[in-house]
């Protein structure tokens, strides 16, 4: 190499490495401007959402008071008193129930596709998860209300009678339909695809040699998963769960079909009634007057900021483990 | 590292007491057999209505003996494991009684076949064998018996509860069986495998159940008139009518949204992947965070920006859909652009192409099929969006062909408004509408898959 380099240097003193210089043409400039403009559309949308929602929400926030809006649980459009605390708690409860179900199932599904299922089944299974993600939320809601609910009430009954000591499981003989629990189960099915696919991506990053090394040392498949895959993918799975949580917070139509909405926080997850900001907006928007619509916009703004924050956090975590992908 | 320590801490079942009065290997089959016999007894008396006590007792006894024999058979059939401790015990071992080191966990080693050139095949990964199947069947049977017992004892009505108890009991029995044959580690492995398979099957079952439910509900009323009539001339109780207005609305709104979104999304993807400017990192983050934007918020955005000046219309709905589709299509397009080989880019640049010609003539045509797939998948997501439609298109009973100026219906709105009324005729219409919606999603989905698959094959061939 050195000899060759010396020869080259001898051949011509001006033979320095050529640094490519981009000389932009007019077309190039137009193309860069166009692409930048397109890319900034997303920024504009997010900015506009915040700005316009805030603008539109002002009448209701002024009428109810910003502090009261977030710390009380009333919804009385005729006197202009609004408070979304109960709805926000309800939204969080539903999303939490959904995550309790969807995260173990999603991780199991990811393991199933990546590790357990025969190689021939991998692509159909991925398609299946994608299809589950593509089905409209409306269909999930209708299925849940008309087909799933009557199979879930016995489970709710079991827990609420046998485990009545646990505070949030108490039912005290109330009706068990249209509860946060049932809404949570539906939302779990709907957020399952995102948890599965992100977990799969993370698990696929685990160096294959480490897995095979563990197997070669005589560990069983589960021991390999527990000692190699899960520790490696842990933060990615946390990110996936947060992403699913963000989706679950914003789930609208399925929840609106299943849940009977109430404004006071109902912490008994198996009894009828619960809160959901998105579903509340969807169901009461049609008949609302101007002031109530303004209050609904304010509630939507709160939801937007909350989901945006959760998503942002989740992406931070996922990107840190998977890289930009 | 931790794998090693796991191995050492597990105690194989075979280290049970050597004098063999009543070892764990005998207790577990006995209990399993007892459970199975009880299950069969219960089954006989309840399901088949046997009343003769002696007959039941005979059946129970036969089951008991058969189960014991099966357990014995399983143990003997497990001949590819050599139990070193047991082998040691039969010999006249001078080291007996053994020291602490000698009683270290026994290794279970498969006997090695005689090596020769002919049979030097690559070793196949261990697959399902006869014993596994028998164990699974026994576990399922014992679990069923337990669940049946519980059902009778507690007068359980629900099928789901029955299934859950069945599954739990079966897992427990499977754990005991495998632990008895091999060791705890293997048993845990098997139980986890069963759980993971169960999760996969359950999710598939939910998907099939959901689709079958919609098809069963919607198919009876799916006639040609559903596509040629609207709801303007039929009352809520009169049969007939259809969703022509909704289908027209859906097609128009989704088409407008696609036309708006696809260029922006592809250019954003080009910006992120080809230009990669200073802003690409924040923009990628914003796009990601937007992909979790609740659909109702997109509706609210359009409601606050468009509706005050232009009123409710199909176009407003299309804008809301566009906001929802933008992150999906952008991300998918970016991933596709990333698969375009760099050699193509370098080749084009080396030939003196300016950057924009490179994108226009090389990058985008190469990625075309993938971009089309991305767009179609975005459409499939958007077509069923209901929440933003409630705040933007508002819905209508009449056929409205113009997407501007007045409220328009679409399929999700059609289904949503009709499913929420306590009226059989309307609900039937809603189910048929849902079926049409599902079929549309299916067609789009499969088209996308076919295009993606074909282009992937072509890429493989060329590279």
């Amino acid at each position: 190499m050195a000899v060759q380099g010396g020869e080259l240097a001898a051949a011509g003193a001006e033979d320095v490495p050529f640094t490519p210089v981009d000389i932009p043409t007019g077309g190039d400039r137009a193309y860069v401007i166009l692409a930048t403009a397109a890319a900034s559309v997303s920024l504009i949308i997010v900015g506009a959402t915040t700005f316009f929602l805030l603008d539109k929400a002002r009448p209701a926030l002024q009428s109810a008071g910003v502090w009261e809006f977030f710390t009380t649980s009333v919804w009385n459009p005729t006197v202009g008193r609004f408070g979304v605390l109960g709805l926000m708690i309800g939204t969080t409860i539903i999303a939490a129930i959904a995550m309790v179900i969807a995260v173990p199932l999603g991780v199991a599904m990811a393991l199933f596709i990546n590790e357990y299922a025969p190689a021939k089944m991998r692509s159909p299974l991925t398609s299946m998860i994608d299809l589950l993600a593509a089905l409209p939320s409306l269909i999930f809601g209708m299925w849940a209300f008309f087909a799933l609910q009557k199979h879930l009430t016995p489970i709710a009954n079991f827990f609420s009678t046998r485990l009545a000591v646990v505070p949030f499981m108490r039912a005290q003989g109330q009706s068990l339909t249209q509860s946060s629990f049932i809404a949570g189960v539906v939302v779990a099915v709907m957020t399952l695809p995102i948890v599965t696919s992100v977990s799969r991506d993370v698990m696929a990053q685990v160096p294959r040699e480490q897995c095979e090394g563990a197997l070669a040392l005589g560990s069983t498949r589960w021991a390999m998963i527990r000692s190699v895959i899960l520790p490696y993918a842990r933060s990615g799975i946390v990110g996936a769960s947060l992403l699913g949580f963000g989706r679950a917070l914003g789930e609208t139509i399925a929840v609106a079909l299943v849940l009977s909405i109430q404004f006071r926080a109902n912490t008994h997850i198996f009894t009828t009634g619960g809160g959901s900001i998105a579903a509340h907006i969807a169901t009461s928007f049609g008949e609302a007057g101007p002031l109530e619509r303004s209050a609904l916009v304010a509630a939507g703004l709160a939801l937007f900021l909350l989901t945006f924050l959760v998503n942002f956090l989740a992406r931070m975590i996922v990107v840190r483990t998977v890289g930009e992908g | 590292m931790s794998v090693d320590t796991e191995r050492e801490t597990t105690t194989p079942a075979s280290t049970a007491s050597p004098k063999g009065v009543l070892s764990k290997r005998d207790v577990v089959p006995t209990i399993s057999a007892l459970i199975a016999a009880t299950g069969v007894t219960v089954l006989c008396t309840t399901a088949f209505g046997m009343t003769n006590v002696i007959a039941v007792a005979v059946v129970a006894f036969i089951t008991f003996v058969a189960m014991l024999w099966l357990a014995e058979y399983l143990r003997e059939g497990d001949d590819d494991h050599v139990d070193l401790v047991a082998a040691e015990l039969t010999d006249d071992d001078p080291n007996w009684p053994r020291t602490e080191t000698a009683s270290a966990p026994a290794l279970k080693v498969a006997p090695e076949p005689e090596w020769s050139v002919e049979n030097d095949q690559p070793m196949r990964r261990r697959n399902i064998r006869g014993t596994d199947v028998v164990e699974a069947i026994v576990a399922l049977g014992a679990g069923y018996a337990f669940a049946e017992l519980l059902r009778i004892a507690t007068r359980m009505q629900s099928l789901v509860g029955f299934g859950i108890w069945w599954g739990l009991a079966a897992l427990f029995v499977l754990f005991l069986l495998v632990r008895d044959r091999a060791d705890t580690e293997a048993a845990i492995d098997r139980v986890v495998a069963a759980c993971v398979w169960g999760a996969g099957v359950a999710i598939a079952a939910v998907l099939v159940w959901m689709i079958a439910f919609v098809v069963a509900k919607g198919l009876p009323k799916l006639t040609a008139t559903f596509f040629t009539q609207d709801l303007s001339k039929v009352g809520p109780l009169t049969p007939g009518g259809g969703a022509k207005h909704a289908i027209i609305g859906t097609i128009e709104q989704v088409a407008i949204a696609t036309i708006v979104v696809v260029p922006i999304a592809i250019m954003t993807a080009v910006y992120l992947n080809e230009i990669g400017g200073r802003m690409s990192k924040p923009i990628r983050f914003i796009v990601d965070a937007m992909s979790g934007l609740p659909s109702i918020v997109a509706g609210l955005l359009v409601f606050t920006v468009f509706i005050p000046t232009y009123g409710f219309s199909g176009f407003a709905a299309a804008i809301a859909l566009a906001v929802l589709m933008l992150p999906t299509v952008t991300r998918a397009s970016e991933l596709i652009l990333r698969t375009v080989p760099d050699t193509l880019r370098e080749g084009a640049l080396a030939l003196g192409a300016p950057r924009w010609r490179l994108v226009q003539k090389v990058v985008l045509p190469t990625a075309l099929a993938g971009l089309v797939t991305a767009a179609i998948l975005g459409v499939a997501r958007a077509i069923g969006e209901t929440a933003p439609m409630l705040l933007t298109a508002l819905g209508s009973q009449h056929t409205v062909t113009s997407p501007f100026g007045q409220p328009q219906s679409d399929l999700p709105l059609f289904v949503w408004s009709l499913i929420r009324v306590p009226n059989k005729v309307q609900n039937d219409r809603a189910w048929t509408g849902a079926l049409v919606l599902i079929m549309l999603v299916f067609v789009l989905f499969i088209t996308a898959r076919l295009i993606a698959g074909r282009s992937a094959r072509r890429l493989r061939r060329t590279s």
Side-chain angles (χ1 to χ4, degrees):
Chain A
M1 281 308 279
V3 177
Q4 209 174 29
E7 277 172 2
L8 272 177
E14 286 144 48
D15 195 15
V16 287
F18 172 74
T19 24
V21 183
D22 251 339
I23 304 155
T25 63
D28 269 343
R29 260 182 230 115
Y31 144 76
V32 169
I33 289 169
L34 206 64
T36 315
S40 48
V41 166
S42 305
L43 288 176
I44 292 170
I45 288 175
V46 172
T49 309
T50 324
F51 176 75
F52 281 101
L53 292 192
L54 202 60
D55 184 50
K56 199 78 179 175
R58 204 177 296 143
L61 287 178
Q62 272 166 1
S63 157
V66 178
W67 178 251
E68 280 76 16
F69 189 79
F70 289 104
T71 52
T72 56
S73 306
V74 283
W75 198 266
N76 196 339
T78 46
V79 298
R81 302 234 65 84
F82 306 101
V84 291
L85 180 69
L87 288 176
M88 278 178 100
I89 292 175
T91 310
T92 319
I93 289 176
I94 291 176
I97 296 171
M99 283 307 99
V100 166
I101 301 168
V103 169
L105 263 183
V107 173
M109 193 66 198
L111 283 176
F112 182 59
I113 298 176
N114 275 9
E115 304 292 331
Y116 284 89
K120 257 181 254 163
M121 271 168 71
R122 233 160 255 176
S123 153
L125 280 170
T126 318
S127 292
M128 187 185 93
I129 293 296
D130 289 348
L131 182 64
L132 202 62
L135 282 181
S137 144
L138 190 63
I139 306 286
F140 282 92
M142 289 162 77
W143 165 75
F145 188 75
F146 290 95
L148 185 67
Q149 177 158 273
K150 60 172 173 284
H151 295 289
L152 286 181
T153 41
I155 297 178
N157 188 31
F158 176 85
F159 280 111
S160 59
T161 50
R162 304 293 153 90
L163 293 177
V165 263
V166 187
F168 62 87
M169 287 188 176
R170 230 165 273 159
Q172 287 147 341
Q174 294 173 41
S175 162
L176 296 175
T177 52
Q178 304 197 311
S179 63
S180 306
F181 168 65
I182 293 168
V185 173
V186 191
V187 175
V189 180
M190 298 177 65
T191 46
L192 191 74
I194 182 112
V195 178
T196 306
S197 58
V198 177
S199 304
R200 269 198 63 202
D201 289 349
V202 176
M203 287 173 190
Q205 304 280 316
V206 179
R208 208 60 218 171
E209 312 86 71
Q210 286 193 20
C211 302
E212 273 151 25
L215 288 176
L217 284 172
S219 72
T220 58
R221 188 148 40 168
W222 167 242
M224 181 272 280
I225 290 167
R226 193 188 45 193
S227 56
V228 178
I229 292 187
L230 290 185
Y232 194 96
R234 190 172 48 212
S235 65
I237 292 172
V238 171
S241 317
L242 264 179
L243 272 183
F245 189 73
R247 296 287 162 94
L249 288 175
E251 215 36 82
T252 313
I253 288 298
V255 177
L257 276 170
V258 171
L259 191 71
S260 108
I261 301 216
Q262 78 185 39
F263 303 110
R264 294 205 170 283
N266 177 9
T267 49
H268 302 293
I269 58 170
F270 292 118
T271 58
T272 302
S276 164
I277 294 178
H280 174 57
I281 298 172
T283 45
S284 52
F285 196 85
E287 293 94 51
L291 187 62
E292 191 182 355
R293 282 192 175 168
S294 163
L296 290 173
V297 170
L301 180 64
L303 179 68
F304 168 65
L305 295 178
L306 188 62
T307 48
F308 202 82
L309 194 72
V310 171
N311 274 313
F312 206 79
L313 269 177
R315 278 292 169 193
M316 292 267 268
I317 297 172
V318 172
V319 165
R320 222 176 40 200
T321 36
V322 187
E324 310 270 345
Chain B
M1 278 301 287
S2 63
V3 177
D4 279 344
T5 53
E6 299 300 345
R7 272 265 158 235
E8 278 159 18
T9 49
T10 56
T11 334
S14 48
T15 50
S17 78
K19 297 291 170 245
V21 194
L22 198 61
S23 77
K24 204 155 57 183
R25 306 201 86 191
D26 298 321
V27 175
V28 173
T30 316
I31 292 176
S32 310
L34 267 177
I35 293 175
T38 323
V40 168
T41 317
V42 170
L43 197 67
C44 285
T45 48
T46 55
F48 306 130
M50 279 172 70
T51 46
N52 191 340
V53 180
I54 299 171
V56 173
V58 168
V59 171
F61 184 71
I62 292 173
T63 320
F64 182 68
V65 174
M67 293 304 291
L68 278 185
W69 178 81
L70 191 67
E72 205 58 32
Y73 164 79
L74 279 182
R75 192 178 297 167
E76 279 171 8
D78 195 24
D79 53 0
D80 55 5
H81 284 163
V82 173
D83 196 328
L84 287 183
V85 174
E88 225 173 359
L89 287 179
T90 53
D91 295 339
D92 285 333
D93 193 343
N95 289 337
W96 183 259
R98 289 168 293 160
T99 55
E100 199 54 48
T101 43
S103 72
L107 280 173
K108 300 199 166 185
V109 185
E112 245 172 84
E114 202 67 37
W115 189 86
S116 69
V117 180
E118 296 90 66
N119 66 14
D120 189 27
Q121 298 286 323
M123 194 162 76
R124 273 181 62 95
R125 195 124 158 233
R126 183 182 171 287
N127 270 323
I128 296 168
R129 281 178 316 189
T131 14
D132 301 332
V133 176
V134 175
E135 271 166 2
I137 290 171
V138 170
L140 280 178
Y144 179 80
F146 176 74
E148 186 74 24
L149 204 65
L150 208 66
R151 190 175 72 86
I152 292 157
T154 62
R155 297 193 174 72
M156 187 159 49
Q157 305 284 325
S158 121
L159 254 163
V160 179
F162 183 81
I164 290 173
W165 283 116
W166 183 358
L168 288 178
L171 283 180
F172 183 66
V173 174
L174 184 69
F175 176 77
L176 288 184
L177 280 174
V178 181
R179 198 188 59 164
D180 191 39
R181 183 165 63 84
D183 59 18
T184 314
E185 193 73 10
I188 294 174
D189 178 52
R190 189 71 70 74
V191 168
V192 171
C195 286
V196 167
W197 272 87
V201 171
I203 291 164
V206 161
L207 185 64
V208 171
W209 179 17
M210 194 153 58
I211 291 168
F213 191 75
V214 174
V215 170
K217 285 267 198 180
L219 205 55
K221 293 278 171 4
L222 187 67
T223 53
T225 54
F226 190 79
F227 298 97
T228 55
Q229 296 179 358
D230 57 26
L231 289 181
S232 56
K233 291 192 183 60
V234 293
L237 291 170
T238 44
K244 178 184 147 203
H245 59 308
I247 293 169
I248 289 177
T250 288
I251 292 172
E252 284 181 2
Q253 290 161 15
V254 171
I256 294 173
T258 314
I259 292 168
V260 172
V261 149
V262 168
I264 298 180
I266 291 178
M267 282 316 279
T268 308
V270 164
Y271 180 84
L272 292 178
N273 201 49
E274 304 294 321
I275 298 177
R278 200 154 29 90
M279 291 297 287
S280 69
K281 219 177 164 104
I283 283 177
R284 189 176 283 130
F285 250 91
I286 292 285
V287 168
D288 278 337
M290 258 181 78
S291 70
L293 186 78
S295 55
I296 191 93
V297 172
L300 281 174
L301 170 67
V302 174
F303 172 76
T304 53
V305 177
F306 274 78
I307 306 297
T309 34
Y310 300 101
F312 295 103
S313 66
F315 183 72
I319 297 300
L321 284 184
V323 170
L324 285 172
M325 282 168 73
L326 182 60
T328 329
V329 183
T330 305
R331 286 300 285 174
S333 306
E334 201 208 336
L335 288 182
I336 296 299
L337 290 190
R338 218 174 274 182
T339 62
V340 175
D342 271 343
T343 46
L344 290 182
R345 294 199 181 88
E346 282 154 14
L349 287 177
L351 288 172
R355 295 249 168 202
W356 69 280
R357 294 291 282 174
L358 155 71
V359 170
Q360 181 210 356
K361 287 283 178 189
V362 178
V363 176
L364 292 184
T366 314
L368 184 65
L371 294 175
V372 172
T373 312
I376 293 177
L377 283 180
V379 170
R381 289 282 171 88
I383 206 163
E385 280 296 348
T386 319
M389 306 311 199
L390 291 167
L391 318 187
T392 49
L394 212 62
S396 155
Q397 302 280 313
H398 306 271
T399 306
V400 178
T401 45
S402 160
F404 300 100
Q406 50 181 322
Q408 195 183 29
S409 188
D410 54 34
L411 266 175
L413 275 180
F414 174 86
V415 177
W416 165 257
S417 57
L418 297 184
I419 199 71
R420 278 160 51 87
V421 290
N423 172 345
K424 180 84 171 53
V425 182
Q426 300 281 55
N427 285 356
D428 283 347
R429 287 184 188 133
W431 283 110
T432 311
L435 177 61
V436 174
L437 205 53
I438 278 200
M439 292 193 314
L440 283 176
V441 172
F442 246 93
V443 168
L444 288 168
F445 193 77
I446 291 170
T447 316
R449 287 276 139 179
L450 287 179
I451 295 174
R454 224 180 42 203
S455 73
R457 272 198 299 281
R458 210 189 54 206
L459 252 177
R460 262 205 301 280
R461 261 209 312 278
T462 50
S463 64

